Amino acid sequence: IFTQNILAEPTLSLSDNQKINKTFTINELLQLKNAMITLPIDNTTDSKIHRYQGVLLSTLLDQVFNQQWRYYDAIKFIAEDGYHPIIPVANILAHKGLIAIGEESHLGFSPLTRQSGEVIAPGSFYLMWENIIDASANKDNWLSGAWQLSRIELTNFAQEYPHSSPPHSADSKINQGFIAFQQHCIKCHTINGDGGKEGPELNYPMNVTEYWREDVLVKFIADPQSVRYSSKMLAFYRDTDNRTEIIDSVIAYLKSMKNKKIAP
């Protein structure tokens, strides 16, 4: 159990319909002694196994919302850097998420070094997924980790993405591309204002396919640093099955949105 005292602790809020139900400091999470666990996790940021300590996501959600959170479409995780992954409740229930507050022996986290050499200092609350016993977590395209986590919200997809759904005339490839875009891209990018705030808006006032050559855009999505050396964008999930076909469907979705521009 951690014993370090914390001054000016950061907080993690949990909300329902944008109304905050409970806000935890690190010290308050530490009071949930029976819920505090340690999990070894293969961190995909630096490809190393770390032992993290914290509270299971499902346990924390049960603590605040009882069983009601299980009846929502999805849960949104809001990070301080603008990253906003939204994960279906069914996928959360299928895996073991951890809200970590430190490593096995101390509060806080060791810096993580990406393959590009960029050094990341995760924030005080870090969402991760157990992926050693549950290897299927690495194949679940909906799952995302998030550091610098500041808020967890119960939500619904219709509420989150009212302006980014494809036109009614969209075919199955475009609709599949929209699903893939939600899984991989909308956590950072916006379409007509829907999505995360870390990356740029991709549809308004000009669609990204109107100012990028398609072959270059495909290459950029697959491996951003092969096009722009200083890009902080991560390569499209390398372990995803049918990666080329999925990227192609994302391009088809982006093209379709040229005909549905809404000012954010």
Side-chain angles (χ1 to χ4, degrees), residues 16-66:
D16 178 5
N17 292 324
Q18 300 182 341
K19 177 184 177 182
I20 293 177
N21 291 58
K22 174 68 177 176
T23 297
F24 289 95
T25 64
I26 292 176
N27 277 336
E28 286 172 332
L29 274 186
L30 288 172
Q31 300 308 308
L32 305 176
K33 294 181 180 180
N34 293 333
M36 198 65 57
I37 67 168
T38 299
L39 282 180
I41 293 175
D42 186 355
N43 195 311
T44 55
T45 300
D46 65 356
S47 301
K48 295 180 180 179
I49 295 177
H50 301 257
R51 292 182 62 83
Y52 293 109
Q53 193 163 18
V55 178
L56 287 178
L57 173 60
S58 58
T59 299
L60 192 62
L61 291 170
D62 284 342
Q63 175 89 14
V64 176
F65 302 111
N66 296 315

Side-chain angles (χ1 to χ4, degrees), residues 100-117:
I101 56 176
E103 300 188 43
E104 186 173 27
S105 59
H106 60 88
L107 282 174
F109 304 94
S110 302
L112 304 172
T113 303
R114 287 177 169 158
Q115 290 183 342
S116 64

Side-chain angles (χ1 to χ4, degrees), residues 200-213:
E201 161 71 36
L202 297 181
N203 195 52
Y204 188 90
M206 289 186 68
N207 183 282
V208 64
T209 64
E210 294 177 302
Y211 55 85
W212 278 70
R213 261 182 25 217

Side-chain angles (χ1 to χ4, degrees), residues 17-189:
N17 292 324
Q18 300 182 341
K19 177 184 177 182
I20 293 177
N21 291 58
K22 174 68 177 176
T23 297
F24 289 95
T25 64
I26 292 176
N27 277 336
E28 286 172 332
L29 274 186
L30 288 172
Q31 300 308 308
L32 305 176
K33 294 181 180 180
N34 293 333
M36 198 65 57
I37 67 168
T38 299
L39 282 180
I41 293 175
D42 186 355
N43 195 311
T44 55
T45 300
D46 65 356
S47 301
K48 295 180 180 179
I49 295 177
H50 301 257
R51 292 182 62 83
Y52 293 109
Q53 193 163 18
V55 178
L56 287 178
L57 173 60
S58 58
T59 299
L60 192 62
L61 291 170
D62 284 342
Q63 175 89 14
V64 176
F65 302 111
N66 296 315
Q67 298 289 307
Q68 294 305 309
W69 66 274
R70 299 164 191 258
Y71 299 100
Y72 280 74
D73 283 355
I75 295 177
K76 178 162 70 170
F77 301 89
I78 300 176
E80 293 175 0
D81 61 3
Y83 187 57
H84 293 179
I86 297 177
I87 304 176
V89 165
N91 297 69
I92 290 172
L93 290 170
H95 303 284
K96 186 178 288 186
L98 181 73
I99 300 296
I101 56 176
E103 300 188 43
E104 186 173 27
S105 59
H106 60 88
L107 282 174
F109 304 94
S110 302
L112 304 172
T113 303
R114 287 177 169 158
Q115 290 183 342
S116 64
E118 182 185 5
V119 177
I120 303 296
S124 300
F125 300 95
Y126 191 175
L127 169 66
M128 285 172 287
W129 302 91
E130 193 288 308
N131 58 359
I132 296 176
I133 296 174
D134 178 17
S136 66
N138 290 326
K139 293 284 189 178
D140 191 327
N141 295 332
W142 283 106
L143 298 189
S144 288
W147 51 68
Q148 300 175 0
L149 198 60
S150 62
R151 187 160 168 164
I152 299 173
E153 294 183 358
L154 307 186
T155 190
N156 296 287
F157 282 109
Q159 172 183 320
E160 294 295 332
Y161 304 136
H163 305 306
S164 55
S165 59
H168 294 300
S169 60
D171 59 23
S172 60
K173 181 177 180 179
I174 291 171
N175 283 310
Q176 182 59 45
F178 179 46
I179 293 172
F181 191 86
Q182 291 176 77
Q183 292 172 333
H184 297 282
C185 313
I186 209 165
K187 306 161 190 176
C188 292
H189 292 282

